[in-house]
Amino acid sequence: MLFHVYGSNAAAQWIAMLAVLASLILLNEFARRTKAGGLIMFGVIPAVLTVYFIVIAVAAGSGASWALNNQTRLYMNGWFHYAKLYAALAGCIGFMMIKYDWGIGKTHWFKAYPFVIVAINILIAVASDFESAFKGWYSWWLSTEDVWLYGGWHNILNGLAGIINIFCMTGWWAVYSSKDKKDMIWPDMIWVYIIVYDIWNFAYTYNCLPTHSWFCGVALLLAPTIAALLWNKGGWIMNRANTLCIWCMFAQVFPLFQDTLSDGRSFFPWATLPVLYADGTLNEITAGGNANANPTMMTVISALALVVNVIALIYIIYKSKKTKTNPYKGEVFTDFKYYQDAAARAEM
């Protein structure tokens, strides 16, 4: 068992997770199907939220009690969440530029943008993993967002997995607009990459966002993967950016939807803890201690992430040598049906 999802709150936990999953799928469809949907989700709403974040910061600096006690300021103030939100947003905007042939989005050199922005997003998470290892090596440490975190070898293993995952992205220059203009298609980013990315990213959320992982590590990863495997082949990376940005915006404004605070309080019955918190509570946890900690599953999942990413990279090298193809300038998965289905949707 990875999470404490049994007992009196189990029904609420599962229903809430599935509701988040369904909502992300539907909002992604709204954002991808029309220009208006995309501009609302990744233009209007982020602009309003940016003003909101600035107002909170200014008002808090002036001593306004409503701002000092605002849940965004108290529980989503770390560098990671803001970096992730705006990096994901940069991806969404850039992908829209490619699929609609807006401005530099129609140039050849900009085709490498998806690789660059995905690599940046991965490195943000890698830095966060290493930060946790540094601040709490097999001991509890309290983040500025009032979450008890536990560092160790799991962070190092998964940080290395993330770095390798960057080099598992192939066909950097082969991204296209779909024929129906609904998607940006990256044909060579097939299920091989999707699976190893999902395992790595789940391990990251499990390690560094433990009180959020039931939602951002399960529902948020499933939403783009389901779409990409069933009806949006080749569009996974755009699905991923869209759903990530949507979730980050929601979580930044309503963190208490999922949070369990350092004193053990939660505000909704669907707040879910992983088995890192051994007895399903935050009892006896103190900074620098290791009471009530069970990091076993974090180590197992992080080791799995490293192993599968190494295997994927070795396979890519093997395929590249066999076909005499540079995996980054060219494409290596062209003989896979998933690639062929994705390519059939693209304006190549």
Side-chain angles (χ1 to χ4, degrees):
M1 185 69 73
L2 298 176
F3 296 93
H4 293 286
V5 284
Y6 44 83
S8 59
N9 290 335
Q13 291 169 322
W14 281 96
I15 291 170
M17 188 274 287
L18 292 173
V20 169
L21 172 61
S23 298
L24 289 171
I25 289 173
L26 292 173
L27 287 170
N28 177 53
E29 292 302 306
F30 171 70
R32 64 174 276 264
R33 288 177 178 271
T34 66
K35 291 180 182 178
L39 289 172
I40 290 170
M41 296 304 302
F42 309 122
V44 176
I45 294 176
V48 172
L49 289 183
T50 299
V51 172
Y52 173 68
F53 300 148
I54 293 172
V55 169
I56 291 172
V58 172
S62 300
S65 60
W66 71 267
L68 291 171
N69 295 307
N70 180 277
Q71 60 180 287
T72 295
R73 178 182 176 277
L74 292 176
Y75 308 119
M76 292 295 276
N77 56 47
W79 70 268
F80 171 81
H81 284 107
Y82 280 105
K84 201 67 174 176
L85 168 56
Y86 286 102
L89 177 61
C92 295
I93 294 171
F95 300 167
M96 287 177 65
M97 293 173 69
I98 290 173
K99 78 170 183 173
Y100 291 129
D101 293 324
W102 287 343
I104 57 175
K106 66 181 69 172
T107 63
H108 178 72
W109 67 266
F110 197 71
K111 287 179 178 290
Y113 178 81
F115 163 76
V116 172
I117 199 64
V118 175
I120 289 171
N121 272 272
I122 291 171
L123 289 173
I124 290 170
V126 168
S128 180
D129 246 325
F130 289 157
E131 176 189 42
S132 189
F134 177 77
K135 289 188 174 180
W137 189 257
Y138 289 99
S139 64
W140 293 106
W141 65 280
L142 187 62
S143 76
T144 62
E145 298 175 341
D146 204 37
V147 175
W148 285 114
L149 300 174
Y150 198 83
W153 275 113
H154 45 276
N155 299 114
I156 304 300
L157 295 174
N158 201 55
L160 294 174
I163 293 170
I164 294 170
N165 186 259
I166 293 172
F167 296 96
C168 291
M169 286 186 281
T170 58
W172 297 354
W173 301 92
V175 295
Y176 311 94
S177 173
S178 64
K179 293 174 182 176
D180 59 10
K181 295 298 182 181
K182 291 180 181 177
D183 300 295
M184 184 195 74
I185 304 295
W186 191 339
D188 217 41
M189 188 171 271
I190 70 167
W191 55 266
V192 173
Y193 181 78
I194 296 171
I195 290 171
V196 298
Y197 174 96
D198 279 356
I199 294 172
W200 161 75
N201 194 260
F202 176 77
Y204 168 74
T205 67
Y206 203 69
N207 290 346
C208 297
L209 304 172
T211 63
H212 298 183
S213 188
W214 182 239
F215 296 103
C216 68
V218 179
L220 179 55
L221 285 171
L222 282 176
T225 300
I226 289 171
L229 295 181
L230 295 183
W231 65 83
N232 193 1
K233 292 183 178 180
W236 174 80
I237 193 59
M238 194 187 75
N239 297 336
R240 168 60 178 164
N242 288 358
T243 52
L244 176 60
C245 187
I246 291 166
W247 175 253
C248 286
M249 290 188 291
F250 172 79
Q252 199 74 13
V253 178
F254 302 107
L256 295 181
F257 173 87
Q258 59 190 331
D259 266 349
T260 299
L261 304 182
S262 63
D263 60 6
R265 287 182 299 150
S266 58
F267 294 83
F268 296 97
W270 51 75
T272 304
L273 294 175
V275 295
L276 163 64
Y277 307 96
D279 66 1
T281 74
L282 276 65
N283 295 338
E284 302 179 11
I285 294 177
T286 57
N290 55 24
N292 201 16
N294 179 14
T296 301
M297 290 312 299
M298 293 195 301
T299 305
V300 170
I301 296 168
S302 297
L304 175 63
L306 180 57
V307 168
V308 298
N309 274 278
V310 168
I311 291 172
L313 184 58
I314 291 172
Y315 181 65
I316 289 166
I317 294 170
Y318 162 77
K319 286 276 291 179
S320 301
K321 289 186 175 181
K322 184 178 179 180
T323 60
K324 295 182 173 58
T325 303
N326 183 313
Y328 307 120
K329 292 182 178 180
E331 298 169 282
V332 298
F333 294 111
T334 56
D335 57 334
F336 281 68
K337 186 177 185 302
Y338 188 94
Y339 173 95
Q340 293 162 3
D341 290 342
R345 300 183 58 218
E347 288 185 342
M348 300 178 70

